[in-house]
Amino acid sequence: MQFNKAEFAAAYGSFPQIPACSRMEIAFAGRSNVGKSTLINKIFNRKNLARVSAVPGKTATINFFRCGDVARFADLPGYGYAKVSDSERRRWSGLIEGYFHQDRDIRLVLSLLDIRHAPSADDLTMLDFLIDSELPFAVVLTKTDKLTNNQLRARLEEIRTEIPCGDQVTLFPVSSMNGRGIEELRKTIESVVESE
Ligand code: GTP
Ligand code: MG
């Protein structure tokens, strides 16, 4: 897979607009500010493929990217951002739920958690939903550069007790700042895409 050949495909602000799924999809999910867009840029070696901002709640649409002919990648809008209006929050959750409930060929959901924090209620809802829907998923632990190696080891053990089915879930500790774990993530994505 040529990760540096990715390109932006389309953005949708409401799920009925999303065209039927013609390719397999890999989705990035997680709360606002966890680092989804930054991770996408890192994986695909681009500065501005997915828009990143220090202001949480930046990605308010589902943004699709193409890489090669087989797969599409979806940057889902971050959930759980406190400072948005109720109507905006409903729009976001409608968008995310609508996406997952459509008849799509979702081959992998990368569910992002900030390694420093216990999962929020919204994170747990997302993980329970992925398990109940039997969607293939893995948990990506972001911002590992903010911890020392000892802290990192401790959090890796704790997180298994904090998430549902923690002993069975694949964990990818990553940093979009120093590149930790990015190659492992690329290999996993590649194996999913090339299983076709
Ligand atoms: P929404 O679009 O609001 O859902 O957020 P998002 O999940 O796309 O987060 P985004 O990629 O915009 O990153 C949020 C902030 O976290 C930015 O200031 C990033 O620079 C920072 N960030 C992302 N990844 C890392 C990382 O691995 N390490 C550090 N130190 N900061 C990171
Ligand atoms: Mg984003």
Side-chain angles (χ1 to χ4, degrees):
M1 221 184 126
Q2 289 182 287
F3 283 95
N4 47 11
K5 292 260 167 77
E7 50 183 35
F8 178 76
Y12 301 99
S14 81
F15 74 86
Q17 298 176 330
I18 306 176
C21 184
S22 53
R23 304 176 189 204
M24 68 159 82
E25 286 178 6
I26 295 177
F28 294 77
R31 62 190 305 189
S32 188
N33 220 38
V34 69
K36 297 175 294 298
S37 301
T38 310
L39 181 65
I40 289 171
N41 287 335
K42 188 71 183 175
I43 289 172
F44 295 106
N45 273 324
R46 290 275 288 278
K47 276 213 169 66
N48 267 315
L49 185 62
R51 257 190 284 162
V52 172
S53 154
V55 184
K58 182 74 188 172
T59 314
T61 49
I62 297 188
N63 295 342
F64 288 101
F65 308 92
R66 267 190 299 269
C67 184
D69 296 329
V70 209
R72 290 213 298 181
F73 297 82
D75 183 7
L76 300 179
Y79 50 77
Y81 180 50
K83 288 187 191 154
V84 296
S85 65
D86 279 354
S87 66
E88 188 64 352
R89 199 190 316 273
R90 273 196 298 277
R91 190 179 73 78
W92 283 3
S93 57
L95 193 54
I96 298 171
E97 279 165 29
Y99 171 76
F100 281 114
H101 286 117
Q102 281 174 333
D103 187 21
R104 313 193 73 78
D105 184 13
I106 301 170
R107 299 290 176 93
L108 180 65
V109 179
L110 293 168
S111 188
L112 277 63
L113 299 176
D114 186 324
I115 191 158
R116 296 169 295 170
H117 310 301
S120 68
D122 289 326
D123 290 325
L124 295 175
T125 302
M126 175 59 86
L127 292 170
D128 285 332
F129 168 77
L130 294 172
I131 292 168
D132 291 345
S133 331
E134 299 184 355
L135 282 161
F137 75 96
V139 168
V140 176
L141 300 166
T142 63
K143 310 194 185 184
T144 58
D145 56 281
K146 302 239 187 188
L147 298 182
T148 65
N149 284 337
N150 281 340
Q151 289 170 324
L152 180 69
R153 261 194 301 277
R155 282 301 294 146
L156 278 173
E157 281 186 26
E158 279 166 11
I159 279 173
R160 293 207 177 270
T161 69
E162 293 167 350
I163 61 177
C165 304
D167 49 346
Q168 294 161 48
V169 173
T170 306
L171 300 179
F172 289 102
V174 304
S175 165
S176 298
M177 295 297 130
N178 64 23
R180 180 193 185 111
I182 300 297
E183 210 38 58
E184 288 84 343
L185 210 46
R186 286 198 191 112
K187 287 215 175 74
T188 297
I189 290 171
E190 196 157 42
S191 71
V192 169
V193 171
E194 291 177 358
S195 68
E196 186 75 355

